[in-house]
Amino acid sequence: MGTFAYVDILIPFVAAVFIAVCAVFYIFFKRYENSLVADEPRGVSAFQLLFTYDFHSCYECVVGSRWNVVLLSTRVITFLYFFSVGLVYSLTLNIRSWNYFTNWNIYLLCFYFLCASTTSIIGIFFPNATTATIATASDWRSIQYWIPKLNVVTHVVFEISGATALFVTVVNFTMLSSNMTFWNVTQHLVTTVAYLLEMSLNRLPVYMLHFPLNLSWAILYIVFTWIVVGVGLRFWPYSFLRADNSSCMIWYSALMILNFIFYGLWFQLSKWKFAAASRGQRAAVAGASNHELVAQHENAELELGEHRRSSGASSSAIESERVSDVESVPISAASVGVPSVMGEDNVGGSAISGGNDNSSAIVLGSQCSDYEAVLGDDTNC
């Protein structure tokens, strides 16, 4: 009984916190539900939009479709590296390491990069497979039936595992072990580096409304730990999870607060990514517009010179004609024909929220202004 002296308090406490968090997010969801479906066809529910994504966002690079192969390469390399390291570590060094949250994070990382690599392979080498008809979309034996499911799983796991990697890195190096050995760095630091690289390249956004899913992952591990310790299979993997002292309530509260903070940080990094991509697109358009303007001025000068030589007009008349020709040159960015950051073949996908309700964009964390600039006018933010 000493090992679980306070578990009768912890169980209802953790359950109450989880229910309260879900209730708060559900209230926000219902409050802005109408704005979510404002621009959607009839029959599309807000809940469907909450877990519906553009498949292109799973495999296209945020800096341009020409980088899609680079994104695929980083995903495959990351998966192979961590799968090999995790396999070697489990089989040779610590066969019973499955009760550590760090290893849960590595398992989730491998699963994400396997799913992400699969989406990249399908999107790059089999683009026609993403086009579904009513028949293929409803037939579980067709690849078109499974692609939307893979899309949702990849996106949600990216949100959860990325925030978890940040959480594990900070907690480990501040509270557990700061040594720079190969295994410690690989398991607790390289994971975050891998996700930051993935975040900087992909087009997957992070939605604040999905925080309860991230919290569910942490609570699932807590409940698992209670069970394996309770039946005597394993010891407490972390001292701050122990349920035999009065300070456990403080520790569990702090862990759930940190869970929210690091998910918020992961969400903020997503916003910064799309904001940077949006600025890069505007700079590219402006630069191309200036280049086109210079070229058009040079052409105007050449045409003017030819006209001067052929007509022998007076210098004053020529200057007047030159000014008229130059002023008539169109200089709008739209006339330049610059491809967007996402590439000319980009298809803007559905985001989490519909309509242009600024308040809902803030609450839902849809980062609409950034998506609209990066993904194109077809994106319903």
Side-chain angles (χ1 to χ4, degrees):
M1 182 61 185
T3 304
F4 289 95
Y6 293 90
V7 75
D8 56 339
I9 301 176
L10 280 176
I11 292 177
F13 171 73
V14 172
V17 170
F18 180 70
I19 293 172
V21 168
C22 291
V24 169
F25 278 81
Y26 179 76
I27 290 172
F28 278 114
F29 169 72
K30 295 300 291 184
R31 180 177 179 181
Y32 297 99
E33 183 176 14
N34 292 333
S35 63
L36 284 173
V37 297
D39 296 333
E40 298 298 327
R42 293 192 172 210
V44 177
S45 68
F47 185 79
Q48 286 176 308
L49 293 178
L50 195 61
F51 293 100
T52 302
Y53 308 102
D54 171 26
F55 183 74
H56 291 75
S57 65
C58 280
Y59 73 87
E60 285 191 347
C61 185
V62 73
V63 296
S65 58
R66 63 187 180 277
W67 289 84
N68 291 348
V69 176
V70 175
L71 179 59
L72 169 61
S73 302
T74 60
R75 287 173 166 179
V76 172
I77 292 173
T78 303
F79 168 74
L80 293 176
Y81 175 77
F82 279 101
F83 181 79
S84 302
V85 167
L87 189 64
V88 171
Y89 182 81
S90 298
L91 295 180
T92 63
L93 297 179
N94 195 345
I95 192 64
R96 302 187 68 184
S97 60
W98 42 262
N99 65 316
Y100 288 97
F101 193 56
T102 294
N103 294 302
W104 277 46
N105 184 48
I106 291 180
Y107 303 150
L108 193 62
L109 178 149
C110 290
F111 178 70
Y112 166 72
F113 280 101
L114 176 62
C115 292
S117 299
T118 303
T119 61
S120 289
I121 292 172
I122 293 174
I124 295 173
F125 300 106
F126 306 99
N128 294 333
T130 62
T131 303
T133 63
I134 296 178
T136 56
S138 58
D139 184 3
W140 66 270
R141 293 168 296 183
S142 67
I143 189 174
Q144 287 83 2
Y145 175 85
W146 293 104
I147 281 180
K149 281 75 175 175
L150 175 65
N151 188 8
V152 172
V153 170
T154 302
H155 203 146
V156 171
V157 173
F158 170 72
E159 294 176 309
I160 296 174
S161 56
T164 302
L166 295 176
F167 174 84
V168 169
T169 296
V170 173
V171 170
N172 177 75
F173 283 97
T174 57
M175 298 175 56
L176 301 176
S177 174
S178 60
N179 68 75
M180 301 302 289
T181 61
F182 172 79
W183 292 110
N184 195 44
V185 171
T186 296
Q187 292 179 311
H188 301 106
L189 182 59
V190 180
T191 50
T192 295
V193 173
Y195 271 113
L196 290 176
L197 177 61
E198 171 72 10
M199 165 70 83
S200 65
L201 292 177
N202 70 25
R203 270 181 52 192
L204 295 174
V206 176
Y207 297 131
M208 207 60 208
L209 262 183
H210 289 169
F211 168 69
L213 298 176
N214 185 69
L215 184 61
S216 300
W217 175 248
I219 292 180
L220 177 64
Y221 173 75
I222 290 174
V223 173
F224 170 82
T225 302
W226 287 346
I227 294 174
V228 297
V229 173
V231 299
L233 290 178
R234 296 296 285 164
F235 51 85
W236 289 105
Y238 305 105
S239 59
F240 47 76
L241 290 182
R242 298 181 67 91
D244 57 358
N245 59 76
S246 58
S247 63
C248 62
M249 297 291 293
I250 299 175
W251 281 113
Y252 277 76
S253 300
L255 289 174
M256 285 185 280
I257 292 173
L258 286 174
N259 188 270
F260 177 78
I261 291 174
F262 283 106
Y263 189 85
L265 175 60
W266 191 235
F267 162 72
Q268 189 62 44
L269 288 174
S270 177
K271 289 185 63 177
W272 289 338
K273 170 182 69 176
F274 284 103
S278 176
R279 288 193 298 269
Q281 182 185 20
R282 289 194 292 267
V285 171
S289 299
N290 292 335
H291 177 76
E292 183 73 11
L293 179 62
V294 171
Q296 290 176 344
H297 273 275
E298 291 176 350
N299 291 335
E301 291 285 356
L302 292 176
E303 292 176 1
L304 182 62
E306 292 292 335
H307 182 71
R308 180 186 292 117
R309 287 191 295 271
S310 61
S311 63
S314 64
S315 60
S316 60
I318 291 175
E319 180 63 18
S320 176
E321 183 176 357
R322 173 181 177 278
V323 172
S324 177
D325 288 343
V326 172
E327 288 180 349
S328 66
V329 175
I331 61 174
S332 64
S335 65
V336 179
V338 182
S340 68
V341 172
M342 308 315 303
E344 294 179 350
D345 58 345
N346 173 58
V347 179
S350 298
I352 180 176
S353 58
N356 297 317
D357 192 317
N358 292 334
S359 59
S360 64
I362 295 173
V363 173
L364 303 183
S366 59
Q367 310 142 18
C368 283
S369 59
D370 299 329
Y371 294 166
E372 192 171 336
V374 177
L375 304 183
D377 295 335
D378 294 335
T379 300
N380 295 323
C381 288

